[in-house]
Amino acid sequence: MGAGRDSLPAMAMVMVQLGFAGLNIVSKLAMDAGMNPFVMVAYRQVIATVFLAPFAFFYERKTRMRMTGTVLFQIFLCSIFGATLNQLLYFVGLKLSTPTIACALSNTLPAITFILAAGSAKVLGTAICVGGSMLMTFYKGSLVRLPPSSIHWRYAEEVAGEVPSAAGEEMVLGATLVVASCFAWSVWFIIQAKMSENFASPYTSTAIMSLMASLECLAVGAAVERKAAGWAVGWDIRLVAAFYTGIVGSGLAFGLMSWCIQRRGPLFVSMFSPLLLVIVAVLGWAIMGEKIYLGSMVGSVLIVGGLYLVLWGKGRELRGTSSTAGKSFDEERELGFATRSPRPTS
């Protein structure tokens, strides 16, 4: 039973990455079909709030901890960095690039989170990670010959075929925005970890965060898209994207990530992001007919290798200092390397 409980955070994060993979595909199709990314993010937050509110009320009404001014301010910061800035930057970057490139650059998240959480990182691993990101952005290389997929989604192929390929300048801008979103997301990881120490109610905090982000994103969306037609959705991919990103991408994913951060720390959660690259690359090739080039493959290998070199090196460093200097469990959990269950909160 203990081993099963210990594996729950890992299983939850695999589910989150599967959900994010579908989010990248569906939201990219919706934007290619004409949906404004600012409008989509606003709808996402509203739907996430409506979805999470019942869970927060029924599951945590008896165990909900006391809300203080400090906790409320931390949730506000989470809404700014984890929802509004992170998602707006990411979706605009995704619109200007491709799902595979956006997910590959998102693999800088563990290194950024580690630097923000710990203040230092293994120089070699970080350099390799950044080098891989730059390689994917600036070098295309030859086409990798893969066998044709038999499960292409015809609608996705038709929509993708109607959209002109992004120019090199747009790709660079899109990649820059995705990396910027990773910085905002990493800040959310750190704030969420601090906040969960005093308010261990992940559904409630995520619901409040989504409500605050709804107001923020609606204000930004209204300033960017002032025509009512830009907010209209029908029975099409845009409606699917709004509900999928709201329920799966924010409601379920952020609720599970908040729970996992509370149990295992921010670095544990962020180090699952390389899995997203593999899933999206496979789905992009199988469903959307996306081509894979040598630069993308080599850059992806460098990103994943560099990230795990950072994690492996720091893991050895923490184990060494823990045995000699008696590093506390709370410090290890803060960095995501703790293996024991967290102490119960009062």
Side-chain angles (χ1 to χ4, degrees):
M1 181 68 71
R5 287 186 176 181
D6 287 341
S7 65
L8 283 178
M11 294 171 61
M13 286 310 305
V14 171
M15 291 175 59
V16 167
Q17 298 308 318
L18 287 170
F20 279 159
L23 178 146
N24 278 270
I25 302 284
V26 172
S27 57
K28 177 65 172 176
L29 288 174
M31 289 185 290
D32 287 346
M35 192 173 194
N36 189 311
F38 292 90
V39 172
M40 183 168 61
V41 171
Y43 281 144
R44 172 180 179 174
Q45 302 305 331
V46 173
I47 293 172
T49 303
V50 175
F51 174 78
L52 282 167
F55 286 92
F57 178 76
F58 289 108
Y59 284 93
E60 294 179 343
R61 68 180 187 275
K62 295 182 179 179
T63 60
R64 189 179 300 117
M65 304 177 71
R66 187 172 66 89
M67 177 73 68
T68 64
T70 300
V71 170
L72 194 61
F73 180 67
Q74 289 173 329
I75 294 176
F76 171 70
L77 293 178
C78 285
S79 73
I80 292 288
F81 290 100
T84 302
L85 279 178
N86 165 40
Q87 293 172 24
L88 288 178
L89 290 170
Y90 183 83
F91 279 112
V92 175
L94 175 62
K95 180 178 177 64
L96 296 176
S97 59
T98 67
T100 301
I101 289 179
C103 293
L105 293 175
S106 295
N107 286 330
T108 59
L109 184 63
I112 296 172
T113 303
F114 183 85
I115 292 171
L116 293 178
S120 63
K122 291 294 182 181
V123 177
L124 179 60
T126 304
I128 293 174
C129 175
V130 174
S133 301
M134 294 302 100
L135 182 65
M136 288 200 68
T137 304
F138 296 105
Y139 176 70
K140 192 172 186 179
S142 59
L143 178 67
V144 177
R145 302 291 178 181
L146 295 175
S149 171
S150 59
I151 57 172
H152 280 175
W153 186 9
R154 187 177 300 277
Y155 175 79
E157 291 182 297
E158 292 174 354
V159 172
E162 296 173 357
V163 179
S165 300
E169 295 81 4
E170 290 185 341
M171 283 286 190
V172 173
L173 177 59
T176 303
L177 292 175
V178 170
V179 174
S181 77
C182 289
F183 275 95
W185 206 3
S186 297
V187 173
W188 174 75
F189 283 143
I190 307 306
I191 299 173
Q192 180 70 32
K194 294 293 184 183
M195 186 265 293
S196 65
E197 295 176 1
N198 300 315
F199 192 78
S201 302
Y203 293 123
T204 301
S205 62
T206 307
I208 297 174
M209 181 190 77
S210 297
L211 176 61
M212 292 179 174
S214 298
L215 301 176
E216 296 158 6
C217 292
L218 284 170
V220 174
V224 174
E225 180 57 80
R226 300 182 180 182
K227 297 180 180 179
W231 292 82
V233 293
W235 295 98
D236 54 17
I237 190 64
R238 290 179 290 184
L239 183 64
V240 173
F243 275 92
Y244 186 96
T245 57
I247 295 175
V248 178
S250 284
L252 291 175
F254 274 76
L256 287 174
M257 285 190 297
S258 298
W259 177 76
C260 289
I261 288 173
Q262 178 183 324
R263 293 181 62 87
R264 294 295 177 86
L267 188 58
F268 174 86
V269 174
S270 66
M271 67 187 288
F272 279 83
S273 61
L275 181 62
L276 181 61
L277 171 65
V278 179
I279 299 171
V280 169
V282 172
L283 290 180
W285 162 76
I287 296 178
M288 302 179 67
E290 187 174 309
K291 294 180 175 60
I292 299 179
Y293 292 90
L294 180 62
S296 296
M297 291 195 67
V298 175
S300 301
V301 172
L302 288 176
I303 289 172
V304 176
L307 290 172
Y308 281 100
L309 182 60
V310 171
L311 297 175
W312 173 79
K314 198 59 189 179
R316 289 188 60 188
E317 184 179 294
L318 281 176
R319 285 192 293 270
T321 56
S322 178
S323 60
T324 58
K327 177 177 282 291
S328 69
F329 167 72
D330 287 333
E331 289 174 320
E332 292 186 8
R333 186 175 73 87
E334 179 93 5
L335 298 176
F337 289 103
T339 57
R340 291 179 285 158
S341 299
R343 291 194 295 265
T345 57
S346 56

